[in-house]
Amino acid sequence: MYNIAIVKYGEIGVKGKNRYIFENKLIKNVKNMLAPIGKFNVYKEYGRIYVDLGEYAEDYEEVLEEIKKVFGVVGVCPGIRAEKDYDKLKQLALQLLEEKIEEGSESFKVTSRRGDKSLELTSQEMSKDIAGFLVYNVKDRIKVDVRNPETTIHCEYRQNHVMVYSDTVPGYGGLPVGTNGRAMSLLSGGIDSPVASWMVAKRGVEIEAIHFHSYPFTSEKSQEKVRDLAQILAKYCGKVRLHKVNILEIQKAIGVSCKEEEMTIISRRFMMKIAQRVGEMRFCDALVTGESIGQVASQTIQGLTCTNASVSLPVFRPLIAMDKSEIIKIAQKIGTFETSVIPEEDCCTVFSPKSPVTKPKLDRIEKSESSLDIEKLIQDAIDNMEVEVFEF
């Protein structure tokens, strides 16, 4: 029955003279998301974005599920579009209402939009006329409820077509990826960092990722786990370039020259410095981490202050005030949770001290670091970096 998908967006609609940039990017991203299913005609018309379902009309639910994942989409509606004819519009509305009655709906109302002013009826008069036609045909099988209906039949009379739709599948909202710069995300194999990457990408930021490991002290499987997470993120974020950096030599040097309790915070500062260096090479404007206040020893306010001081790029922490249960809920929704909970050690846990400092003093940490050849350690790690690109 359905032959078109109506893509609804939110913030994009108030972008003024730059609106077309966001709309065009959204169209491109919708096409990319649907590419594994097939080739679709995605286009803009009268301030709306449409997707012709064509040969995929019978599988429209699968199409809608993919469209809703595109950042910038607040909702997507399956609709029926036909040639411009007012009587045809009424018949389509009846067809849609009959389906809703079969599904068990007990109340409805009609809303209308007159895009072609040549029609003598106003939008409100259209609603009354179409509703009367529907009531006459369905009799007492469903009642009218204009305040709190189970079903709303939306009817549109446009310049070149008529269209009816009812259901809206909620989208994730946000802004199209690629409209707000680029950031380097510190991607571990845990639950938090993939969610943080997803949330920043939702604001239109293109994501690159950097992963730190201590092979052979951490297994090849732990790296494979991160590759799997990068692949999942690529579905939402577009192309994800993953930079894999071995920091084993850095951790050895810290272990020899610094206090044991400072191992975690100093290692974290090295990660941030390397992430910034690689990010600047890749024209990134910010760093992204999955840190949340107080979640682990290095994520106290004092610990975050010390890691912040190691870089000059802004650090985005979208999870900073979230509880673990809230983060897990998002991870489950976006499909990263099952991969994240696979038990594999990472570079932080392998060399984690028994009693890490929880309230580090920046001057003391910097004094401890002064015994290390920081520049050489960073450059050696970057020189041996491996890069993989993941695309959906």
Side-chain angles (χ1 to χ4, degrees):
M1 178 174 68
Y2 299 109
N3 59 13
I4 197 167
I6 306 161
V7 180
K8 295 184 175 181
Y9 50 75
E11 290 181 63
I12 296 174
V14 296
K15 289 299 180 182
K17 294 180 180 179
N18 291 326
R19 175 172 167 173
Y20 76 96
I21 298 174
F22 291 84
E23 290 175 330
N24 292 343
K25 190 65 176 179
L26 183 59
I27 289 171
K28 180 180 178 181
N29 291 351
V30 169
K31 287 181 178 179
N32 290 340
M33 182 65 80
L34 294 176
I37 299 176
K39 189 174 182 179
F40 289 81
N41 182 27
V42 185
Y43 55 97
K44 179 174 61 176
E45 188 176 274
Y46 304 122
R48 278 242 187 101
I49 292 175
Y50 298 104
V51 179
D52 288 334
L53 297 177
E55 62 184 289
Y56 304 98
E58 292 185 3
D59 302 316
Y60 77 92
E61 291 180 335
E62 179 185 0
V63 176
L64 301 187
E65 280 298 307
E66 296 307 304
I67 295 174
K68 80 173 190 179
K69 297 172 185 174
V70 179
F71 294 136
V73 175
V74 298
V76 56
C77 312
I80 313 170
R81 178 169 170 162
E83 68 277 3
K84 188 172 76 171
D85 182 282
Y86 184 65
D87 290 331
K88 178 68 173 178
L89 176 61
K90 295 165 75 171
Q91 290 296 332
L92 292 177
L94 178 59
Q95 182 182 350
L96 184 55
L97 184 59
E98 289 283 4
E99 180 178 276
K100 294 304 175 185
I101 292 173
E102 290 182 12
E103 292 175 358
S105 182
E106 297 182 352
S107 62
F108 83 100
K109 77 171 183 178
V110 175
T111 66
S112 302
R113 178 176 293 184
R114 184 186 64 163
D116 182 356
K117 304 303 181 184
S118 65
L119 184 68
E120 293 182 358
L121 300 175
T122 65
S123 295
Q124 187 174 6
E125 289 169 341
M126 278 178 62
S127 295
K128 291 180 179 179
D129 181 56
I130 296 171
F133 173 79
L134 297 178
V135 170
Y136 177 81
N137 281 275
V138 301
K139 309 302 181 184
D140 59 353
R141 287 183 290 153
I142 189 171
K143 66 180 182 179
V144 175
D145 185 347
V146 296
R147 295 187 181 277
N148 189 32
E150 289 184 26
T151 295
T152 299
I153 305 294
H154 301 277
C155 301
E156 298 188 1
Y157 187 86
R158 296 283 187 173
Q159 293 286 343
N160 300 312
H161 65 268
V162 295
M163 186 162 54
V164 298
Y165 60 95
S166 178
D167 299 325
T168 299
V169 177
Y172 294 135
L175 294 170
V177 172
T179 57
N180 265 329
R182 181 182 299 175
M184 181 66 69
S185 180
L186 282 73
L187 185 65
S188 71
I191 297 171
D192 302 336
S193 58
V195 173
S197 302
W198 182 87
M199 291 181 70
V200 171
K202 182 180 173 183
R203 297 307 305 159
V205 178
E206 185 180 346
I207 293 295
E208 295 211 5
I210 187 165
H211 172 66
F212 298 97
H213 64 91
S214 303
Y215 184 82
F217 283 81
T218 53
S219 68
E220 179 63 34
K221 287 185 177 180
S222 69
Q223 293 184 55
E224 187 61 38
K225 177 180 174 181
V226 174
R227 293 189 192 101
D228 291 341
L229 289 170
Q231 187 64 65
I232 295 170
L233 287 173
K235 185 167 190 175
Y236 303 97
C237 307
K239 182 190 298 183
V240 174
R241 182 182 294 268
L242 176 64
H243 306 78
K244 295 176 294 180
V245 181
N246 191 328
I247 59 167
L248 178 58
E249 295 305 317
I250 293 175
Q251 290 177 310
K252 286 180 179 179
I254 297 171
V256 170
S257 302
C258 303
K259 297 176 181 178
E260 181 187 359
E261 64 268 22
E262 296 175 342
M263 167 69 85
T264 300
I265 195 69
I266 294 177
S267 295
R268 188 68 180 172
R269 280 168 59 85
F270 267 95
M271 292 180 199
M272 297 291 280
K273 290 175 182 179
I274 293 171
Q276 173 167 290
R277 191 79 61 88
V278 177
E280 289 171 342
M281 290 163 53
R282 293 294 305 160
F283 306 102
C284 293
D285 306 300
L287 303 179
V288 180
T289 78
E291 293 163 313
S292 174
I293 294 176
Q295 190 171 133
V296 295
S298 64
Q299 295 177 21
T300 60
I301 289 180
Q302 295 87 350
L304 295 175
T305 299
C306 285
T307 54
N308 275 355
S310 65
V311 294
S312 58
L313 282 178
V315 182
F316 296 157
R317 295 183 172 95
L319 313 184
I320 195 67
M322 295 178 69
D323 293 336
K324 196 68 175 184
S325 59
E326 296 174 297
I327 300 169
I328 289 173
K329 187 175 181 180
I330 297 174
Q332 291 171 330
K333 178 175 71 172
I334 67 177
T336 58
F337 180 75
E338 290 185 358
T339 301
S340 293
V341 296
I342 296 173
E344 291 291 345
E345 287 189 313
D346 60 31
C347 63
C348 294
T349 57
V350 168
F351 291 94
S352 178
K354 293 181 180 179
S355 301
V357 59
T358 57
K359 295 182 179 180
K361 299 291 185 181
L362 180 58
D363 57 342
R364 295 179 185 176
I365 296 298
E366 290 177 336
K367 183 178 180 180
S368 294
E369 285 180 344
S370 66
S371 62
L372 302 170
D373 191 343
I374 296 175
E375 184 58 33
K376 185 177 187 305
L377 288 169
I378 289 175
Q379 193 58 52
D380 286 349
I382 292 174
D383 288 343
N384 292 291
M385 178 176 67
E386 297 177 343
V387 179
E388 285 187 68
V389 178
F390 297 87
E391 296 187 69
F392 173 58

